[in-house]
Amino acid sequence: MRKVMVVLLLLGVMVSAAAGQTGGDRSAQIEQLGRFIEEDTYAIIHVDVQKVNIKAIFDKCVEVGQWEEQSDYYQQFQEFSQKIEQLIYTFRQTGGRGLYAIFSGADFPGFFVLVDTSEEADFSRLSRFIENTNQELNVVDEDEFDQYRSGRFLVMGLAETIGRVKTIKSATRPEVGAALAAADEATVQLLFTPSADQRRVLEEMLPLMYEELETMPVGAIIKGMQWL
């Protein structure tokens, strides 16, 4: 049941709304993010936590699911929503602004997360909050979890992955910044950003996308794709 709730929550985030960041701050954010983008970075998920409206998500789910107030679905989701709302409130209070999940070939199928912060962020408090939340939700075993600060970001993930990220070799990927800027107002951004080599591999491995589209080779779709 919890997994279903998480999926609904993430879908609901997409319809929430609030004030966004200024253009200058957003540009600086994307520029600093570039330090963590590699040649084989193939996907990025960005959640602007400042824009998340849990009540709107809850109301929308109740409307779509047509849940009665006395139903188990309503009661369970209400309890879950209140818990998430409290976590988001504390996250914001400690200076957290957003989350970036970075997917690279070197970590496949895993990823690492960047916590974007405000200038007034209390990194010690934010770090403790993340550790406590990880333990409470049992996302990653405590012995396997690691995090460290890098500029405006708090970097976290599996210890093995974080060890690699500390010596990451960034690459110039202007298309990644363009992709993030193109959907700047979105609460959630899901970006597919394959490199030239990754596009070539996809083209070679998937000669046809669907049997019913036999006349349309995948190359016609992915060869020139920089982001999606």
Side-chain angles (χ1 to χ4, degrees), residues 78-103:
Q78 183 181 52
E79 180 181 347
F80 180 76
S81 298
Q82 291 172 347
K83 178 63 177 178
I84 295 299
E85 190 170 33
Q86 181 59 48
L87 290 175
I88 289 177
Y89 174 79
T90 305
F91 179 80
R92 290 168 172 166
Q93 288 297 304
T94 56
R97 302 180 64 168
L99 302 170
Y100 288 91
I102 311 294
F103 297 79

Side-chain angles (χ1 to χ4, degrees), residues 45-62:
I45 299 176
H46 173 228
V47 179
D48 189 342
V49 179
Q50 294 185 107
K51 297 181 180 180
V52 175
N53 186 331
I54 296 298
K55 185 179 185 306
I57 295 171
F58 176 76
D59 291 343
K60 188 66 176 180
C61 289
V62 171

